[in-house]
mmCIF file of all heavy atoms in Angstrom:
data_model
loop_
_atom_site.group_PDB
_atom_site.id
_atom_site.type_symbol
_atom_site.label_atom_id
_atom_site.label_comp_id
_atom_site.label_asym_id
_atom_site.label_seq_id
_atom_site.Cartn_x
_atom_site.Cartn_y
_atom_site.Cartn_z
ATOM 1 N N ASP A 141 45.383 -30.404 36.610
ATOM 2 C CA ASP A 141 45.158 -29.142 36.003
ATOM 3 C C ASP A 141 45.204 -28.041 36.990
ATOM 4 O O ASP A 141 44.909 -26.778 36.686
ATOM 5 C CB ASP A 141 43.897 -29.116 35.229
ATOM 6 C CG ASP A 141 42.630 -29.432 36.142
ATOM 7 O OD1 ASP A 141 42.849 -29.656 37.376
ATOM 8 O OD2 ASP A 141 41.475 -29.471 35.644
ATOM 9 N N GLY A 142 45.509 -28.297 38.334
ATOM 10 C CA GLY A 142 45.736 -27.190 39.268
ATOM 11 C C GLY A 142 44.438 -26.866 40.086
ATOM 12 O O GLY A 142 44.516 -25.927 40.871
ATOM 13 N N THR A 143 43.332 -27.503 39.843
ATOM 14 C CA THR A 143 42.127 -27.192 40.541
ATOM 15 C C THR A 143 42.241 -27.846 42.000
ATOM 16 O O THR A 143 42.536 -28.962 42.130
ATOM 17 C CB THR A 143 40.904 -27.785 39.904
ATOM 18 O OG1 THR A 143 41.147 -28.078 38.564
ATOM 19 C CG2 THR A 143 39.693 -26.896 40.048
ATOM 20 N N PRO A 144 41.981 -27.013 43.039
ATOM 21 C CA PRO A 144 41.954 -27.548 44.378
ATOM 22 C C PRO A 144 40.672 -28.265 44.640
ATOM 23 O O PRO A 144 39.625 -27.948 44.042
ATOM 24 C CB PRO A 144 42.003 -26.307 45.237
ATOM 25 C CG PRO A 144 41.487 -25.235 44.451
ATOM 26 C CD PRO A 144 41.695 -25.555 42.961
ATOM 27 N N ARG A 145 40.692 -29.407 45.463
ATOM 28 C CA ARG A 145 39.501 -30.203 45.723
ATOM 29 C C ARG A 145 39.390 -30.593 47.152
ATOM 30 O O ARG A 145 40.474 -30.828 47.773
ATOM 31 C CB ARG A 145 39.480 -31.420 44.797
ATOM 32 C CG ARG A 145 39.598 -31.126 43.306
ATOM 33 C CD ARG A 145 38.343 -31.568 42.626
ATOM 34 N NE ARG A 145 38.553 -31.489 41.163
ATOM 35 C CZ ARG A 145 37.809 -30.644 40.365
ATOM 36 N NH1 ARG A 145 36.853 -30.011 40.866
ATOM 37 N NH2 ARG A 145 38.031 -30.630 39.087
ATOM 38 N N LEU A 146 38.280 -30.729 47.626
ATOM 39 C CA LEU A 146 38.041 -31.199 49.032
ATOM 40 C C LEU A 146 36.831 -32.184 48.846
ATOM 41 O O LEU A 146 35.763 -31.818 48.410
ATOM 42 C CB LEU A 146 37.708 -30.075 49.991
ATOM 43 C CG LEU A 146 37.071 -30.492 51.276
ATOM 44 C CD1 LEU A 146 37.969 -31.278 52.165
ATOM 45 C CD2 LEU A 146 36.656 -29.168 52.102
ATOM 46 N N TYR A 147 36.997 -33.385 49.302
ATOM 47 C CA TYR A 147 35.955 -34.386 49.339
ATOM 48 C C TYR A 147 35.759 -34.923 50.713
ATOM 49 O O TYR A 147 36.740 -34.995 51.538
ATOM 50 C CB TYR A 147 36.198 -35.527 48.338
ATOM 51 C CG TYR A 147 36.030 -35.139 46.854
ATOM 52 C CD1 TYR A 147 37.093 -34.737 46.144
ATOM 53 C CD2 TYR A 147 34.792 -35.392 46.289
ATOM 54 C CE1 TYR A 147 36.983 -34.360 44.869
ATOM 55 C CE2 TYR A 147 34.632 -34.948 44.981
ATOM 56 C CZ TYR A 147 35.662 -34.491 44.246
ATOM 57 O OH TYR A 147 35.629 -34.192 42.912
ATOM 58 N N GLN A 148 34.547 -35.244 51.067
ATOM 59 C CA GLN A 148 34.285 -36.031 52.321
ATOM 60 C C GLN A 148 33.644 -37.363 51.999
ATOM 61 O O GLN A 148 32.726 -37.478 51.239
ATOM 62 C CB GLN A 148 33.354 -35.149 53.174
ATOM 63 C CG GLN A 148 33.189 -35.752 54.590
ATOM 64 C CD GLN A 148 31.740 -35.758 55.039
ATOM 65 O OE1 GLN A 148 30.893 -35.477 54.221
ATOM 66 N NE2 GLN A 148 31.530 -36.180 56.217
ATOM 67 N N THR A 149 34.195 -38.454 52.676
ATOM 68 C CA THR A 149 33.457 -39.756 52.585
ATOM 69 C C THR A 149 32.935 -40.098 54.014
ATOM 70 O O THR A 149 33.513 -39.642 55.002
ATOM 71 C CB THR A 149 34.489 -40.908 52.151
ATOM 72 O OG1 THR A 149 35.452 -40.964 53.161
ATOM 73 C CG2 THR A 149 35.074 -40.494 50.831
ATOM 74 N N ASP A 150 31.880 -40.918 54.042
ATOM 75 C CA ASP A 150 31.503 -41.527 55.341
ATOM 76 C C ASP A 150 31.368 -42.985 55.271
ATOM 77 O O ASP A 150 31.445 -43.638 54.268
ATOM 78 C CB ASP A 150 30.251 -40.719 55.731
ATOM 79 C CG ASP A 150 28.997 -41.168 54.921
ATOM 80 O OD1 ASP A 150 29.205 -41.774 53.938
ATOM 81 O OD2 ASP A 150 27.987 -40.727 55.367
ATOM 82 N N PRO A 151 31.018 -43.590 56.435
ATOM 83 C CA PRO A 151 31.011 -45.043 56.440
ATOM 84 C C PRO A 151 30.120 -45.751 55.506
ATOM 85 O O PRO A 151 30.323 -46.943 55.236
ATOM 86 C CB PRO A 151 30.602 -45.354 57.968
ATOM 87 C CG PRO A 151 31.120 -44.201 58.725
ATOM 88 C CD PRO A 151 30.883 -43.070 57.789
ATOM 89 N N SER A 152 29.039 -45.039 55.076
ATOM 90 C CA SER A 152 28.146 -45.677 54.112
ATOM 91 C C SER A 152 28.832 -45.934 52.746
ATOM 92 O O SER A 152 28.281 -46.682 51.920
ATOM 93 C CB SER A 152 26.873 -44.978 53.982
ATOM 94 O OG SER A 152 27.201 -43.671 53.523
ATOM 95 N N GLY A 153 29.882 -45.056 52.457
ATOM 96 C CA GLY A 153 30.429 -45.231 51.130
ATOM 97 C C GLY A 153 29.978 -44.098 50.200
ATOM 98 O O GLY A 153 30.277 -44.139 48.992
ATOM 99 N N THR A 154 29.229 -43.101 50.659
ATOM 100 C CA THR A 154 28.910 -42.011 49.806
ATOM 101 C C THR A 154 30.107 -40.953 49.921
ATOM 102 O O THR A 154 30.818 -40.874 50.971
ATOM 103 C CB THR A 154 27.655 -41.308 50.296
ATOM 104 O OG1 THR A 154 27.824 -40.880 51.664
ATOM 105 C CG2 THR A 154 26.477 -42.191 50.159
ATOM 106 N N TYR A 155 30.182 -40.140 48.898
ATOM 107 C CA TYR A 155 31.181 -39.071 48.933
ATOM 108 C C TYR A 155 30.645 -37.832 48.255
ATOM 109 O O TYR A 155 29.798 -37.963 47.271
ATOM 110 C CB TYR A 155 32.532 -39.521 48.298
ATOM 111 C CG TYR A 155 32.454 -39.700 46.781
ATOM 112 C CD1 TYR A 155 32.898 -38.648 45.960
ATOM 113 C CD2 TYR A 155 32.095 -40.912 46.234
ATOM 114 C CE1 TYR A 155 32.916 -38.772 44.547
ATOM 115 C CE2 TYR A 155 32.072 -40.967 44.854
ATOM 116 C CZ TYR A 155 32.466 -40.013 44.064
ATOM 117 O OH TYR A 155 32.552 -40.191 42.688
ATOM 118 N N HIS A 156 30.995 -36.712 48.678
ATOM 119 C CA HIS A 156 30.562 -35.384 48.133
ATOM 120 C C HIS A 156 31.724 -34.440 48.180
ATOM 121 O O HIS A 156 32.654 -34.557 49.023
ATOM 122 C CB HIS A 156 29.434 -34.795 49.041
ATOM 123 C CG HIS A 156 28.198 -35.718 49.064
ATOM 124 N ND1 HIS A 156 27.343 -35.759 48.103
ATOM 125 C CD2 HIS A 156 27.870 -36.498 50.076
ATOM 126 C CE1 HIS A 156 26.357 -36.618 48.508
ATOM 127 N NE2 HIS A 156 26.645 -37.074 49.609
ATOM 128 N N ALA A 157 31.680 -33.478 47.186
ATOM 129 C CA ALA A 157 32.649 -32.425 47.172
ATOM 130 C C ALA A 157 32.219 -31.311 48.017
ATOM 131 O O ALA A 157 30.947 -31.061 48.100
ATOM 132 C CB ALA A 157 32.857 -31.937 45.737
ATOM 133 N N TRP A 158 33.129 -30.601 48.744
ATOM 134 C CA TRP A 158 32.761 -29.522 49.656
ATOM 135 C C TRP A 158 33.752 -28.372 49.386
ATOM 136 O O TRP A 158 34.802 -28.589 48.944
ATOM 137 C CB TRP A 158 32.912 -29.962 51.089
ATOM 138 C CG TRP A 158 31.857 -30.921 51.490
ATOM 139 C CD1 TRP A 158 31.791 -32.250 51.256
ATOM 140 C CD2 TRP A 158 30.666 -30.749 52.287
ATOM 141 N NE1 TRP A 158 30.725 -32.831 51.850
ATOM 142 C CE2 TRP A 158 30.047 -31.941 52.528
ATOM 143 C CE3 TRP A 158 30.216 -29.565 52.933
ATOM 144 C CZ2 TRP A 158 28.818 -31.952 53.268
ATOM 145 C CZ3 TRP A 158 29.043 -29.640 53.707
ATOM 146 C CH2 TRP A 158 28.389 -30.931 53.868
ATOM 147 N N LYS A 159 33.208 -27.190 49.737
ATOM 148 C CA LYS A 159 34.165 -25.952 49.784
ATOM 149 C C LYS A 159 34.885 -25.992 51.103
ATOM 150 O O LYS A 159 35.997 -25.563 51.245
ATOM 151 C CB LYS A 159 33.361 -24.716 49.652
ATOM 152 C CG LYS A 159 32.707 -24.600 48.284
ATOM 153 C CD LYS A 159 31.992 -23.286 48.156
ATOM 154 C CE LYS A 159 31.037 -23.319 46.908
ATOM 155 N NZ LYS A 159 30.056 -22.290 46.986
ATOM 156 N N ALA A 160 34.118 -26.390 52.161
ATOM 157 C CA ALA A 160 34.743 -26.478 53.481
ATOM 158 C C ALA A 160 33.847 -27.403 54.317
ATOM 159 O O ALA A 160 32.662 -27.475 54.191
ATOM 160 C CB ALA A 160 34.821 -25.070 54.203
ATOM 161 N N ASN A 161 34.429 -28.194 55.188
ATOM 162 C CA ASN A 161 33.553 -29.156 55.897
ATOM 163 C C ASN A 161 34.344 -29.601 57.260
ATOM 164 O O ASN A 161 35.554 -29.296 57.342
ATOM 165 C CB ASN A 161 33.332 -30.395 55.101
ATOM 166 C CG ASN A 161 32.139 -31.136 55.628
ATOM 167 O OD1 ASN A 161 31.537 -30.729 56.628
ATOM 168 N ND2 ASN A 161 31.843 -32.316 55.075
ATOM 169 N N ALA A 162 33.506 -30.106 58.174
ATOM 170 C CA ALA A 162 34.167 -30.662 59.316
ATOM 171 C C ALA A 162 33.553 -31.950 59.748
ATOM 172 O O ALA A 162 32.357 -32.308 59.329
ATOM 173 C CB ALA A 162 33.955 -29.676 60.484
ATOM 174 N N ILE A 163 34.369 -32.815 60.369
ATOM 175 C CA ILE A 163 33.803 -34.136 60.779
ATOM 176 C C ILE A 163 34.228 -34.418 62.141
ATOM 177 O O ILE A 163 35.187 -33.787 62.663
ATOM 178 C CB ILE A 163 34.353 -35.296 59.844
ATOM 179 C CG1 ILE A 163 35.833 -35.236 59.652
ATOM 180 C CG2 ILE A 163 33.704 -35.236 58.449
ATOM 181 C CD1 ILE A 163 36.447 -36.278 58.847
ATOM 182 N N GLY A 164 33.513 -35.381 62.829
ATOM 183 C CA GLY A 164 34.020 -35.719 64.167
ATOM 184 C C GLY A 164 33.123 -34.998 65.240
ATOM 185 O O GLY A 164 32.043 -34.547 64.992
ATOM 186 N N ARG A 165 33.660 -34.906 66.434
ATOM 187 C CA ARG A 165 32.984 -34.358 67.600
ATOM 188 C C ARG A 165 32.684 -32.872 67.266
ATOM 189 O O ARG A 165 33.556 -32.239 66.737
ATOM 190 C CB ARG A 165 33.925 -34.428 68.739
ATOM 191 C CG ARG A 165 33.202 -34.243 70.088
ATOM 192 C CD ARG A 165 34.127 -34.549 71.274
ATOM 193 N NE ARG A 165 35.492 -34.602 71.000
ATOM 194 C CZ ARG A 165 36.320 -35.586 71.446
ATOM 195 N NH1 ARG A 165 35.781 -36.516 72.223
ATOM 196 N NH2 ARG A 165 37.526 -35.521 71.251
ATOM 197 N N SER A 166 31.542 -32.442 67.580
ATOM 198 C CA SER A 166 31.165 -31.088 67.376
ATOM 199 C C SER A 166 31.239 -30.595 65.951
ATOM 200 O O SER A 166 31.403 -29.377 65.637
ATOM 201 C CB SER A 166 31.987 -30.105 68.241
ATOM 202 O OG SER A 166 32.353 -30.640 69.445
ATOM 203 N N ALA A 167 31.145 -31.605 65.014
ATOM 204 C CA ALA A 167 31.262 -31.147 63.564
ATOM 205 C C ALA A 167 30.153 -30.128 63.207
ATOM 206 O O ALA A 167 30.429 -29.270 62.431
ATOM 207 C CB ALA A 167 31.166 -32.383 62.703
ATOM 208 N N LYS A 168 29.030 -30.285 63.835
ATOM 209 C CA LYS A 168 27.918 -29.439 63.526
ATOM 210 C C LYS A 168 28.277 -27.969 63.822
ATOM 211 O O LYS A 168 27.963 -26.994 62.992
ATOM 212 C CB LYS A 168 26.616 -29.831 64.269
ATOM 213 C CG LYS A 168 25.435 -29.796 63.474
ATOM 214 C CD LYS A 168 24.298 -30.527 64.133
ATOM 215 C CE LYS A 168 22.951 -29.931 63.617
ATOM 216 N NZ LYS A 168 22.065 -29.772 64.698
ATOM 217 N N THR A 169 28.822 -27.716 65.008
ATOM 218 C CA THR A 169 29.172 -26.394 65.473
ATOM 219 C C THR A 169 30.184 -25.781 64.463
ATOM 220 O O THR A 169 29.990 -24.661 64.006
ATOM 221 C CB THR A 169 29.891 -26.350 66.862
ATOM 222 O OG1 THR A 169 29.158 -27.405 67.604
ATOM 223 C CG2 THR A 169 29.688 -25.015 67.495
#
Side-chain angles (χ1 to χ4, degrees):
Chain A
D141 60 359
T143 340
R145 303 244 187 240
L146 164 65
Y147 285 91
Q148 186 227 6
T149 65
D150 73 347
S152 63
T154 56
Y155 69 97
H156 299 279
W158 291 76
K159 295 181 192 160
N161 200 3
I163 51 177
R165 196 173 15 226
S166 327
K168 221 165 154 223
T169 326

